[in-house]
Amino acid sequence: MVRTKHRFASFEEYLSYDDGTDNLYELFNGELIEMPPESGINVQIATFLLIQFVSLLGYKRVRGHGLELEVRGEPRNRYPDLTIIREEHIQQLASRNTIRLSMLPPLLVVEVVSPGELQRDRDFIAKRLQYQDCGIPEYWIIDPQTKSILVLELIDKTYNEIGIFSGDDLVISPQFNEIKLQASQIFD
């Protein structure tokens, strides 16, 4: 990750910044940290799920890795691999693909775990706490290493495990029970 020299006093100041590129940055302690490209397997899994959810919900409510999510703590923003947004977000995101803390949270966030212990901790611990704090009703953690999907549901402001799905298990989504996926399909 490459650190830039810009320092921001607030998230609002960061939002008005434009470096003239399409680079994605996490805002960490006022500094921008450029996000590296995703691995091929992560993109493949996220694209497969994007297609599945688009066929269920339509393309306007399904966002890929470019959606930015403001969170509390450090870093101050995240870029989930896949996000299912609310109908009202479509208009709110027209000028900038950022869901602010002042907005209702998205309905579902999916993260595909990147290789390495640091990345595992980030998805299973740090992001889990940040997404829980944002009030996101459902969070999927997809682990290519173990070929499993952990589905979490927000109940009384705390994530509860719906299950860990692998092999021929049908993935159970509390909000999107119309989606019929075997865990193994996600990793094929």
PDB file of all heavy atoms in Angstrom, residues 26 69-72 77-83 105-106 109-111 122-123 125-141 154 159:
ATOM      1  N   GLU A  26      -8.183   4.253   1.458  1.00  0.00           N
ATOM      2  CA  GLU A  26      -8.746   4.220   2.798  1.00  0.00           C
ATOM      3  C   GLU A  26      -8.194   5.440   3.515  1.00  0.00           C
ATOM      4  O   GLU A  26      -7.024   5.805   3.338  1.00  0.00           O
ATOM      5  CB  GLU A  26      -8.343   2.942   3.539  1.00  0.00           C
ATOM      6  CG  GLU A  26      -9.139   1.734   3.114  1.00  0.00           C
ATOM      7  CD  GLU A  26      -8.865   0.507   3.969  1.00  0.00           C
ATOM      8  OE1 GLU A  26      -7.850   0.468   4.695  1.00  0.00           O
ATOM      9  OE2 GLU A  26      -9.674  -0.432   3.903  1.00  0.00           O
ATOM     10  N   LEU A  69     -17.929   2.988   1.868  1.00  0.00           N
ATOM     11  CA  LEU A  69     -18.782   2.967   3.045  1.00  0.00           C
ATOM     12  C   LEU A  69     -18.072   3.695   4.177  1.00  0.00           C
ATOM     13  O   LEU A  69     -16.969   3.302   4.575  1.00  0.00           O
ATOM     14  CB  LEU A  69     -19.056   1.510   3.417  1.00  0.00           C
ATOM     15  CG  LEU A  69     -20.020   1.175   4.510  1.00  0.00           C
ATOM     16  CD1 LEU A  69     -21.414   1.709   4.208  1.00  0.00           C
ATOM     17  CD2 LEU A  69     -20.084  -0.330   4.693  1.00  0.00           C
ATOM     18  N   GLU A  70     -18.653   4.790   4.654  1.00  0.00           N
ATOM     19  CA  GLU A  70     -18.079   5.494   5.796  1.00  0.00           C
ATOM     20  C   GLU A  70     -18.331   4.665   7.054  1.00  0.00           C
ATOM     21  O   GLU A  70     -19.444   4.174   7.280  1.00  0.00           O
ATOM     22  CB  GLU A  70     -18.704   6.880   5.963  1.00  0.00           C
ATOM     23  CG  GLU A  70     -18.126   7.655   7.132  1.00  0.00           C
ATOM     24  CD  GLU A  70     -18.808   8.988   7.391  1.00  0.00           C
ATOM     25  OE1 GLU A  70     -19.912   9.236   6.851  1.00  0.00           O
ATOM     26  OE2 GLU A  70     -18.244   9.778   8.161  1.00  0.00           O
ATOM     27  N   VAL A  71     -17.291   4.498   7.872  1.00  0.00           N
ATOM     28  CA  VAL A  71     -17.398   3.740   9.119  1.00  0.00           C
ATOM     29  C   VAL A  71     -16.741   4.535  10.239  1.00  0.00           C
ATOM     30  O   VAL A  71     -15.973   5.464   9.986  1.00  0.00           O
ATOM     31  CB  VAL A  71     -16.730   2.344   8.993  1.00  0.00           C
ATOM     32  CG1 VAL A  71     -17.465   1.461   7.996  1.00  0.00           C
ATOM     33  CG2 VAL A  71     -15.259   2.457   8.635  1.00  0.00           C
ATOM     34  N   ARG A  72     -17.032   4.148  11.464  1.00  0.00           N
ATOM     35  CA  ARG A  72     -16.364   4.753  12.618  1.00  0.00           C
ATOM     36  C   ARG A  72     -15.058   4.007  12.864  1.00  0.00           C
ATOM     37  O   ARG A  72     -14.925   2.839  12.538  1.00  0.00           O
ATOM     38  CB  ARG A  72     -17.255   4.677  13.852  1.00  0.00           C
ATOM     39  CG  ARG A  72     -18.446   5.597  13.769  1.00  0.00           C
ATOM     40  CD  ARG A  72     -19.321   5.516  15.030  1.00  0.00           C
ATOM     41  NE  ARG A  72     -20.563   6.230  14.849  1.00  0.00           N
ATOM     42  CZ  ARG A  72     -21.634   5.733  14.227  1.00  0.00           C
ATOM     43  NH1 ARG A  72     -21.627   4.522  13.749  1.00  0.00           N
ATOM     44  NH2 ARG A  72     -22.724   6.457  14.100  1.00  0.00           N
ATOM     45  N   ASN A  77     -13.167   4.517   6.257  1.00  0.00           N
ATOM     46  CA  ASN A  77     -13.989   4.074   5.140  1.00  0.00           C
ATOM     47  C   ASN A  77     -13.575   2.659   4.743  1.00  0.00           C
ATOM     48  O   ASN A  77     -12.466   2.227   5.019  1.00  0.00           O
ATOM     49  CB  ASN A  77     -13.879   5.023   3.954  1.00  0.00           C
ATOM     50  CG  ASN A  77     -12.464   5.172   3.449  1.00  0.00           C
ATOM     51  OD1 ASN A  77     -11.498   4.957   4.162  1.00  0.00           O
ATOM     52  ND2 ASN A  77     -12.328   5.556   2.194  1.00  0.00           N
ATOM     53  N   ARG A  78     -14.492   1.967   4.116  1.00  0.00           N
ATOM     54  CA  ARG A  78     -14.245   0.617   3.607  1.00  0.00           C
ATOM     55  C   ARG A  78     -14.819   0.517   2.199  1.00  0.00           C
ATOM     56  O   ARG A  78     -15.721   1.272   1.828  1.00  0.00           O
ATOM     57  CB  ARG A  78     -14.909  -0.439   4.496  1.00  0.00           C
ATOM     58  CG  ARG A  78     -14.365  -0.524   5.909  1.00  0.00           C
ATOM     59  CD  ARG A  78     -12.969  -1.081   5.928  1.00  0.00           C
ATOM     60  NE  ARG A  78     -12.512  -1.302   7.302  1.00  0.00           N
ATOM     61  CZ  ARG A  78     -11.321  -1.757   7.600  1.00  0.00           C
ATOM     62  NH1 ARG A  78     -10.462  -2.045   6.631  1.00  0.00           N
ATOM     63  NH2 ARG A  78     -10.965  -1.928   8.846  1.00  0.00           N
ATOM     64  N   TYR A  79     -14.294  -0.431   1.437  1.00  0.00           N
ATOM     65  CA  TYR A  79     -14.775  -0.737   0.095  1.00  0.00           C
ATOM     66  C   TYR A  79     -15.149  -2.213   0.064  1.00  0.00           C
ATOM     67  O   TYR A  79     -14.310  -3.059  -0.278  1.00  0.00           O
ATOM     68  CB  TYR A  79     -13.699  -0.447  -0.964  1.00  0.00           C
ATOM     69  CG  TYR A  79     -13.383   1.016  -1.106  1.00  0.00           C
ATOM     70  CD1 TYR A  79     -12.369   1.609  -0.368  1.00  0.00           C
ATOM     71  CD2 TYR A  79     -14.112   1.805  -1.979  1.00  0.00           C
ATOM     72  CE1 TYR A  79     -12.083   2.957  -0.494  1.00  0.00           C
ATOM     73  CE2 TYR A  79     -13.832   3.156  -2.118  1.00  0.00           C
ATOM     74  CZ  TYR A  79     -12.813   3.735  -1.374  1.00  0.00           C
ATOM     75  OH  TYR A  79     -12.539   5.065  -1.496  1.00  0.00           O
ATOM     76  N   PRO A  80     -16.373  -2.560   0.451  1.00  0.00           N
ATOM     77  CA  PRO A  80     -16.766  -3.972   0.441  1.00  0.00           C
ATOM     78  C   PRO A  80     -16.658  -4.565  -0.967  1.00  0.00           C
ATOM     79  O   PRO A  80     -16.777  -3.862  -1.971  1.00  0.00           O
ATOM     80  CB  PRO A  80     -18.226  -3.942   0.900  1.00  0.00           C
ATOM     81  CG  PRO A  80     -18.393  -2.631   1.591  1.00  0.00           C
ATOM     82  CD  PRO A  80     -17.452  -1.687   0.910  1.00  0.00           C
ATOM     83  N   ASP A  81     -16.451  -5.874  -1.018  1.00  0.00           N
ATOM     84  CA  ASP A  81     -16.367  -6.548  -2.319  1.00  0.00           C
ATOM     85  C   ASP A  81     -17.716  -6.550  -3.026  1.00  0.00           C
ATOM     86  O   ASP A  81     -17.777  -6.518  -4.253  1.00  0.00           O
ATOM     87  CB  ASP A  81     -15.848  -7.979  -2.139  1.00  0.00           C
ATOM     88  CG  ASP A  81     -14.388  -7.978  -1.708  1.00  0.00           C
ATOM     89  OD1 ASP A  81     -13.580  -7.332  -2.388  1.00  0.00           O
ATOM     90  OD2 ASP A  81     -14.068  -8.608  -0.687  1.00  0.00           O
ATOM     91  N   LEU A  82     -18.799  -6.580  -2.258  1.00  0.00           N
ATOM     92  CA  LEU A  82     -20.150  -6.539  -2.826  1.00  0.00           C
ATOM     93  C   LEU A  82     -21.074  -5.930  -1.779  1.00  0.00           C
ATOM     94  O   LEU A  82     -20.960  -6.236  -0.590  1.00  0.00           O
ATOM     95  CB  LEU A  82     -20.631  -7.952  -3.183  1.00  0.00           C
ATOM     96  CG  LEU A  82     -21.976  -8.021  -3.894  1.00  0.00           C
ATOM     97  CD1 LEU A  82     -21.833  -7.589  -5.349  1.00  0.00           C
ATOM     98  CD2 LEU A  82     -22.538  -9.426  -3.837  1.00  0.00           C
ATOM     99  N   THR A  83     -21.980  -5.073  -2.238  1.00  0.00           N
ATOM    100  CA  THR A  83     -22.927  -4.431  -1.330  1.00  0.00           C
ATOM    101  C   THR A  83     -24.304  -4.420  -1.967  1.00  0.00           C
ATOM    102  O   THR A  83     -24.440  -4.094  -3.147  1.00  0.00           O
ATOM    103  CB  THR A  83     -22.498  -2.965  -1.036  1.00  0.00           C
ATOM    104  OG1 THR A  83     -21.147  -2.964  -0.560  1.00  0.00           O
ATOM    105  CG2 THR A  83     -23.398  -2.331   0.000  1.00  0.00           C
ATOM    106  N   PRO A 105     -28.073   2.275   6.581  1.00  0.00           N
ATOM    107  CA  PRO A 105     -27.018   1.367   6.130  1.00  0.00           C
ATOM    108  C   PRO A 105     -27.482   0.506   4.953  1.00  0.00           C
ATOM    109  O   PRO A 105     -28.686   0.320   4.751  1.00  0.00           O
ATOM    110  CB  PRO A 105     -26.762   0.497   7.364  1.00  0.00           C
ATOM    111  CG  PRO A 105     -28.057   0.504   8.104  1.00  0.00           C
ATOM    112  CD  PRO A 105     -28.646   1.869   7.867  1.00  0.00           C
ATOM    113  N   PRO A 106     -26.526  -0.032   4.191  1.00  0.00           N
ATOM    114  CA  PRO A 106     -26.913  -0.987   3.152  1.00  0.00           C
ATOM    115  C   PRO A 106     -27.514  -2.232   3.798  1.00  0.00           C
ATOM    116  O   PRO A 106     -27.375  -2.439   5.013  1.00  0.00           O
ATOM    117  CB  PRO A 106     -25.593  -1.301   2.449  1.00  0.00           C
ATOM    118  CG  PRO A 106     -24.538  -0.975   3.439  1.00  0.00           C
ATOM    119  CD  PRO A 106     -25.087   0.130   4.285  1.00  0.00           C
ATOM    120  N   VAL A 109     -23.527  -6.614   3.174  1.00  0.00           N
ATOM    121  CA  VAL A 109     -22.151  -6.384   2.758  1.00  0.00           C
ATOM    122  C   VAL A 109     -21.466  -7.746   2.691  1.00  0.00           C
ATOM    123  O   VAL A 109     -21.641  -8.575   3.581  1.00  0.00           O
ATOM    124  CB  VAL A 109     -21.416  -5.441   3.741  1.00  0.00           C
ATOM    125  CG1 VAL A 109     -19.923  -5.452   3.502  1.00  0.00           C
ATOM    126  CG2 VAL A 109     -21.949  -4.031   3.633  1.00  0.00           C
ATOM    127  N   VAL A 110     -20.711  -7.953   1.602  1.00  0.00           N
ATOM    128  CA  VAL A 110     -19.963  -9.194   1.409  1.00  0.00           C
ATOM    129  C   VAL A 110     -18.487  -8.851   1.294  1.00  0.00           C
ATOM    130  O   VAL A 110     -18.110  -7.960   0.529  1.00  0.00           O
ATOM    131  CB  VAL A 110     -20.424  -9.933   0.123  1.00  0.00           C
ATOM    132  CG1 VAL A 110     -19.570 -11.172  -0.124  1.00  0.00           C
ATOM    133  CG2 VAL A 110     -21.895 -10.294   0.200  1.00  0.00           C
ATOM    134  N   GLU A 111     -17.669  -9.555   2.059  1.00  0.00           N
ATOM    135  CA  GLU A 111     -16.218  -9.435   1.952  1.00  0.00           C
ATOM    136  C   GLU A 111     -15.650 -10.794   1.592  1.00  0.00           C
ATOM    137  O   GLU A 111     -16.043 -11.809   2.162  1.00  0.00           O
ATOM    138  CB  GLU A 111     -15.595  -8.958   3.275  1.00  0.00           C
ATOM    139  CG  GLU A 111     -15.952  -7.547   3.678  1.00  0.00           C
ATOM    140  CD  GLU A 111     -15.262  -6.464   2.861  1.00  0.00           C
ATOM    141  OE1 GLU A 111     -14.474  -6.782   1.944  1.00  0.00           O
ATOM    142  OE2 GLU A 111     -15.516  -5.281   3.142  1.00  0.00           O
ATOM    143  N   ARG A 122      -8.627  -8.533   9.549  1.00  0.00           N
ATOM    144  CA  ARG A 122      -9.358  -7.341   9.118  1.00  0.00           C
ATOM    145  C   ARG A 122     -10.806  -7.696   8.791  1.00  0.00           C
ATOM    146  O   ARG A 122     -11.729  -7.015   9.216  1.00  0.00           O
ATOM    147  CB  ARG A 122      -8.657  -6.717   7.910  1.00  0.00           C
ATOM    148  CG  ARG A 122      -9.291  -5.426   7.468  1.00  0.00           C
ATOM    149  CD  ARG A 122      -8.509  -4.725   6.396  1.00  0.00           C
ATOM    150  NE  ARG A 122      -8.233  -5.605   5.286  1.00  0.00           N
ATOM    151  CZ  ARG A 122      -7.144  -5.523   4.526  1.00  0.00           C
ATOM    152  NH1 ARG A 122      -6.239  -4.617   4.757  1.00  0.00           N
ATOM    153  NH2 ARG A 122      -6.977  -6.359   3.516  1.00  0.00           N
ATOM    154  N   ASP A 123     -11.040  -8.788   8.045  1.00  0.00           N
ATOM    155  CA  ASP A 123     -12.398  -9.158   7.639  1.00  0.00           C
ATOM    156  C   ASP A 123     -13.196  -9.795   8.773  1.00  0.00           C
ATOM    157  O   ASP A 123     -14.384  -9.514   8.931  1.00  0.00           O
ATOM    158  CB  ASP A 123     -12.354 -10.118   6.441  1.00  0.00           C
ATOM    159  CG  ASP A 123     -11.915  -9.425   5.163  1.00  0.00           C
ATOM    160  OD1 ASP A 123     -12.097  -8.202   5.049  1.00  0.00           O
ATOM    161  OD2 ASP A 123     -11.382 -10.108   4.274  1.00  0.00           O
ATOM    162  N   ILE A 125     -12.562  -9.623  12.140  1.00  0.00           N
ATOM    163  CA  ILE A 125     -12.630  -8.883  13.407  1.00  0.00           C
ATOM    164  C   ILE A 125     -12.943  -7.402  13.170  1.00  0.00           C
ATOM    165  O   ILE A 125     -14.005  -6.915  13.548  1.00  0.00           O
ATOM    166  CB  ILE A 125     -11.326  -9.056  14.215  1.00  0.00           C
ATOM    167  CG1 ILE A 125     -11.108 -10.549  14.542  1.00  0.00           C
ATOM    168  CG2 ILE A 125     -11.382  -8.237  15.500  1.00  0.00           C
ATOM    169  CD1 ILE A 125      -9.735 -10.880  15.094  1.00  0.00           C
ATOM    170  N   ALA A 126     -12.008  -6.668  12.527  1.00  0.00           N
ATOM    171  CA  ALA A 126     -12.155  -5.210  12.397  1.00  0.00           C
ATOM    172  C   ALA A 126     -13.389  -4.819  11.586  1.00  0.00           C
ATOM    173  O   ALA A 126     -14.214  -4.013  12.046  1.00  0.00           O
ATOM    174  CB  ALA A 126     -10.894  -4.611  11.782  1.00  0.00           C
ATOM    175  N   LYS A 127     -13.531  -5.379  10.393  1.00  0.00           N
ATOM    176  CA  LYS A 127     -14.687  -5.016   9.561  1.00  0.00           C
ATOM    177  C   LYS A 127     -15.982  -5.500  10.202  1.00  0.00           C
ATOM    178  O   LYS A 127     -16.997  -4.808  10.126  1.00  0.00           O
ATOM    179  CB  LYS A 127     -14.542  -5.587   8.147  1.00  0.00           C
ATOM    180  CG  LYS A 127     -13.463  -4.898   7.332  1.00  0.00           C
ATOM    181  CD  LYS A 127     -13.381  -5.477   5.940  1.00  0.00           C
ATOM    182  CE  LYS A 127     -12.249  -4.865   5.152  1.00  0.00           C
ATOM    183  NZ  LYS A 127     -12.146  -5.432   3.797  1.00  0.00           N
ATOM    184  N   ARG A 128     -15.940  -6.656  10.808  1.00  0.00           N
ATOM    185  CA  ARG A 128     -17.141  -7.167  11.477  1.00  0.00           C
ATOM    186  C   ARG A 128     -17.635  -6.175  12.523  1.00  0.00           C
ATOM    187  O   ARG A 128     -18.825  -5.857  12.585  1.00  0.00           O
ATOM    188  CB  ARG A 128     -16.843  -8.527  12.111  1.00  0.00           C
ATOM    189  CG  ARG A 128     -18.014  -9.127  12.858  1.00  0.00           C
ATOM    190  CD  ARG A 128     -17.654 -10.489  13.415  1.00  0.00           C
ATOM    191  NE  ARG A 128     -18.736 -11.021  14.222  1.00  0.00           N
ATOM    192  CZ  ARG A 128     -18.888 -12.307  14.506  1.00  0.00           C
ATOM    193  NH1 ARG A 128     -18.031 -13.199  14.047  1.00  0.00           N
ATOM    194  NH2 ARG A 128     -19.890 -12.706  15.252  1.00  0.00           N
ATOM    195  N   LEU A 129     -16.726  -5.655  13.330  1.00  0.00           N
ATOM    196  CA  LEU A 129     -17.111  -4.675  14.352  1.00  0.00           C
ATOM    197  C   LEU A 129     -17.582  -3.364  13.727  1.00  0.00           C
ATOM    198  O   LEU A 129     -18.562  -2.764  14.177  1.00  0.00           O
ATOM    199  CB  LEU A 129     -15.945  -4.422  15.308  1.00  0.00           C
ATOM    200  CG  LEU A 129     -15.581  -5.589  16.220  1.00  0.00           C
ATOM    201  CD1 LEU A 129     -14.285  -5.304  16.961  1.00  0.00           C
ATOM    202  CD2 LEU A 129     -16.711  -5.896  17.191  1.00  0.00           C
ATOM    203  N   GLN A 130     -16.901  -2.900  12.667  1.00  0.00           N
ATOM    204  CA  GLN A 130     -17.297  -1.650  12.023  1.00  0.00           C
ATOM    205  C   GLN A 130     -18.659  -1.784  11.349  1.00  0.00           C
ATOM    206  O   GLN A 130     -19.500  -0.894  11.457  1.00  0.00           O
ATOM    207  CB  GLN A 130     -16.239  -1.209  11.013  1.00  0.00           C
ATOM    208  CG  GLN A 130     -15.005  -0.644  11.679  1.00  0.00           C
ATOM    209  CD  GLN A 130     -13.941  -0.244  10.686  1.00  0.00           C
ATOM    210  OE1 GLN A 130     -13.616  -0.972   9.753  1.00  0.00           O
ATOM    211  NE2 GLN A 130     -13.368   0.939  10.894  1.00  0.00           N
ATOM    212  N   TYR A 131     -18.901  -2.885  10.647  1.00  0.00           N
ATOM    213  CA  TYR A 131     -20.183  -3.075   9.967  1.00  0.00           C
ATOM    214  C   TYR A 131     -21.311  -3.269  10.971  1.00  0.00           C
ATOM    215  O   TYR A 131     -22.419  -2.783  10.767  1.00  0.00           O
ATOM    216  CB  TYR A 131     -20.110  -4.251   8.992  1.00  0.00           C
ATOM    217  CG  TYR A 131     -19.149  -4.048   7.838  1.00  0.00           C
ATOM    218  CD1 TYR A 131     -18.682  -5.132   7.109  1.00  0.00           C
ATOM    219  CD2 TYR A 131     -18.712  -2.780   7.458  1.00  0.00           C
ATOM    220  CE1 TYR A 131     -17.807  -4.960   6.042  1.00  0.00           C
ATOM    221  CE2 TYR A 131     -17.841  -2.603   6.408  1.00  0.00           C
ATOM    222  CZ  TYR A 131     -17.390  -3.697   5.694  1.00  0.00           C
ATOM    223  OH  TYR A 131     -16.537  -3.514   4.639  1.00  0.00           O
ATOM    224  N   GLN A 132     -21.013  -3.950  12.060  1.00  0.00           N
ATOM    225  CA  GLN A 132     -21.995  -4.098  13.137  1.00  0.00           C
ATOM    226  C   GLN A 132     -22.352  -2.729  13.698  1.00  0.00           C
ATOM    227  O   GLN A 132     -23.524  -2.403  13.898  1.00  0.00           O
ATOM    228  CB  GLN A 132     -21.402  -5.001  14.219  1.00  0.00           C
ATOM    229  CG  GLN A 132     -22.274  -5.193  15.438  1.00  0.00           C
ATOM    230  CD  GLN A 132     -21.591  -6.110  16.442  1.00  0.00           C
ATOM    231  OE1 GLN A 132     -21.637  -7.308  16.291  1.00  0.00           O
ATOM    232  NE2 GLN A 132     -20.947  -5.531  17.444  1.00  0.00           N
ATOM    233  N   ASP A 133     -21.343  -1.902  13.933  1.00  0.00           N
ATOM    234  CA  ASP A 133     -21.554  -0.555  14.465  1.00  0.00           C
ATOM    235  C   ASP A 133     -22.377   0.312  13.507  1.00  0.00           C
ATOM    236  O   ASP A 133     -23.154   1.156  13.936  1.00  0.00           O
ATOM    237  CB  ASP A 133     -20.199   0.108  14.732  1.00  0.00           C
ATOM    238  CG  ASP A 133     -20.335   1.495  15.309  1.00  0.00           C
ATOM    239  OD1 ASP A 133     -20.925   1.627  16.402  1.00  0.00           O
ATOM    240  OD2 ASP A 133     -19.871   2.455  14.651  1.00  0.00           O
ATOM    241  N   CYS A 134     -22.228   0.087  12.204  1.00  0.00           N
ATOM    242  CA  CYS A 134     -23.002   0.833  11.195  1.00  0.00           C
ATOM    243  C   CYS A 134     -24.456   0.375  11.134  1.00  0.00           C
ATOM    244  O   CYS A 134     -25.279   1.042  10.520  1.00  0.00           O
ATOM    245  CB  CYS A 134     -22.386   0.658   9.815  1.00  0.00           C
ATOM    246  SG  CYS A 134     -20.845   1.533   9.573  1.00  0.00           S
ATOM    247  N   GLY A 135     -24.761  -0.779  11.734  1.00  0.00           N
ATOM    248  CA  GLY A 135     -26.129  -1.299  11.707  1.00  0.00           C
ATOM    249  C   GLY A 135     -26.467  -2.033  10.419  1.00  0.00           C
ATOM    250  O   GLY A 135     -27.643  -2.117  10.049  1.00  0.00           O
ATOM    251  N   ILE A 136     -25.467  -2.577   9.739  1.00  0.00           N
ATOM    252  CA  ILE A 136     -25.712  -3.325   8.501  1.00  0.00           C
ATOM    253  C   ILE A 136     -26.354  -4.659   8.888  1.00  0.00           C
ATOM    254  O   ILE A 136     -25.763  -5.441   9.625  1.00  0.00           O
ATOM    255  CB  ILE A 136     -24.407  -3.521   7.708  1.00  0.00           C
ATOM    256  CG1 ILE A 136     -23.845  -2.149   7.314  1.00  0.00           C
ATOM    257  CG2 ILE A 136     -24.644  -4.412   6.485  1.00  0.00           C
ATOM    258  CD1 ILE A 136     -22.446  -2.170   6.752  1.00  0.00           C
ATOM    259  N   PRO A 137     -27.570  -4.920   8.395  1.00  0.00           N
ATOM    260  CA  PRO A 137     -28.338  -6.086   8.862  1.00  0.00           C
ATOM    261  C   PRO A 137     -27.706  -7.447   8.572  1.00  0.00           C
ATOM    262  O   PRO A 137     -27.946  -8.394   9.314  1.00  0.00           O
ATOM    263  CB  PRO A 137     -29.672  -5.968   8.117  1.00  0.00           C
ATOM    264  CG  PRO A 137     -29.762  -4.560   7.672  1.00  0.00           C
ATOM    265  CD  PRO A 137     -28.358  -4.083   7.492  1.00  0.00           C
ATOM    266  N   GLU A 138     -26.899  -7.549   7.511  1.00  0.00           N
ATOM    267  CA  GLU A 138     -26.350  -8.856   7.148  1.00  0.00           C
ATOM    268  C   GLU A 138     -24.939  -8.685   6.592  1.00  0.00           C
ATOM    269  O   GLU A 138     -24.681  -7.774   5.811  1.00  0.00           O
ATOM    270  CB  GLU A 138     -27.258  -9.521   6.109  1.00  0.00           C
ATOM    271  CG  GLU A 138     -26.967 -10.967   5.847  1.00  0.00           C
ATOM    272  CD  GLU A 138     -28.038 -11.642   4.998  1.00  0.00           C
ATOM    273  OE1 GLU A 138     -29.195 -11.156   4.942  1.00  0.00           O
ATOM    274  OE2 GLU A 138     -27.710 -12.654   4.368  1.00  0.00           O
ATOM    275  N   TYR A 139     -24.039  -9.571   7.016  1.00  0.00           N
ATOM    276  CA  TYR A 139     -22.636  -9.524   6.596  1.00  0.00           C
ATOM    277  C   TYR A 139     -22.184 -10.946   6.273  1.00  0.00           C
ATOM    278  O   TYR A 139     -22.336 -11.845   7.085  1.00  0.00           O
ATOM    279  CB  TYR A 139     -21.789  -8.919   7.723  1.00  0.00           C
ATOM    280  CG  TYR A 139     -20.294  -8.879   7.503  1.00  0.00           C
ATOM    281  CD1 TYR A 139     -19.732  -8.710   6.250  1.00  0.00           C
ATOM    282  CD2 TYR A 139     -19.430  -8.979   8.588  1.00  0.00           C
ATOM    283  CE1 TYR A 139     -18.349  -8.655   6.075  1.00  0.00           C
ATOM    284  CE2 TYR A 139     -18.051  -8.921   8.427  1.00  0.00           C
ATOM    285  CZ  TYR A 139     -17.520  -8.769   7.172  1.00  0.00           C
ATOM    286  OH  TYR A 139     -16.157  -8.718   7.001  1.00  0.00           O
ATOM    287  N   TRP A 140     -21.669 -11.120   5.044  1.00  0.00           N
ATOM    288  CA  TRP A 140     -21.110 -12.406   4.630  1.00  0.00           C
ATOM    289  C   TRP A 140     -19.595 -12.273   4.564  1.00  0.00           C
ATOM    290  O   TRP A 140     -19.070 -11.325   3.976  1.00  0.00           O
ATOM    291  CB  TRP A 140     -21.582 -12.814   3.244  1.00  0.00           C
ATOM    292  CG  TRP A 140     -23.022 -13.153   3.094  1.00  0.00           C
ATOM    293  CD1 TRP A 140     -24.053 -12.904   3.961  1.00  0.00           C
ATOM    294  CD2 TRP A 140     -23.617 -13.788   1.957  1.00  0.00           C
ATOM    295  NE1 TRP A 140     -25.233 -13.354   3.440  1.00  0.00           N
ATOM    296  CE2 TRP A 140     -24.996 -13.905   2.202  1.00  0.00           C
ATOM    297  CE3 TRP A 140     -23.107 -14.267   0.751  1.00  0.00           C
ATOM    298  CZ2 TRP A 140     -25.881 -14.475   1.297  1.00  0.00           C
ATOM    299  CZ3 TRP A 140     -23.979 -14.836  -0.153  1.00  0.00           C
ATOM    300  CH2 TRP A 140     -25.354 -14.946   0.122  1.00  0.00           C
ATOM    301  N   ILE A 141     -18.901 -13.250   5.144  1.00  0.00           N
ATOM    302  CA  ILE A 141     -17.446 -13.330   5.026  1.00  0.00           C
ATOM    303  C   ILE A 141     -17.148 -14.607   4.245  1.00  0.00           C
ATOM    304  O   ILE A 141     -17.423 -15.714   4.720  1.00  0.00           O
ATOM    305  CB  ILE A 141     -16.752 -13.359   6.405  1.00  0.00           C
ATOM    306  CG1 ILE A 141     -17.165 -12.146   7.248  1.00  0.00           C
ATOM    307  CG2 ILE A 141     -15.232 -13.411   6.222  1.00  0.00           C
ATOM    308  CD1 ILE A 141     -16.679 -12.188   8.686  1.00  0.00           C
ATOM    309  N   LEU A 154     -27.561  -9.156  12.037  1.00  0.00           N
ATOM    310  CA  LEU A 154     -27.593  -8.200  13.132  1.00  0.00           C
ATOM    311  C   LEU A 154     -28.881  -8.380  13.930  1.00  0.00           C
ATOM    312  O   LEU A 154     -29.977  -8.212  13.399  1.00  0.00           O
ATOM    313  CB  LEU A 154     -27.504  -6.770  12.581  1.00  0.00           C
ATOM    314  CG  LEU A 154     -27.191  -5.681  13.592  1.00  0.00           C
ATOM    315  CD1 LEU A 154     -25.779  -5.835  14.146  1.00  0.00           C
ATOM    316  CD2 LEU A 154     -27.344  -4.312  12.943  1.00  0.00           C
ATOM    317  N   TYR A 159     -23.890  -8.877  15.840  1.00  0.00           N
ATOM    318  CA  TYR A 159     -23.917  -9.915  14.810  1.00  0.00           C
ATOM    319  C   TYR A 159     -23.998 -11.290  15.453  1.00  0.00           C
ATOM    320  O   TYR A 159     -23.237 -11.610  16.360  1.00  0.00           O
ATOM    321  CB  TYR A 159     -22.679  -9.854  13.911  1.00  0.00           C
ATOM    322  CG  TYR A 159     -22.794  -8.846  12.794  1.00  0.00           C
ATOM    323  CD1 TYR A 159     -21.746  -8.003  12.490  1.00  0.00           C
ATOM    324  CD2 TYR A 159     -23.940  -8.755  12.018  1.00  0.00           C
ATOM    325  CE1 TYR A 159     -21.834  -7.085  11.455  1.00  0.00           C
ATOM    326  CE2 TYR A 159     -24.042  -7.840  10.983  1.00  0.00           C
ATOM    327  CZ  TYR A 159     -22.992  -7.013  10.714  1.00  0.00           C
ATOM    328  OH  TYR A 159     -23.094  -6.112   9.678  1.00  0.00           O
TER     329      TYR A 159
END
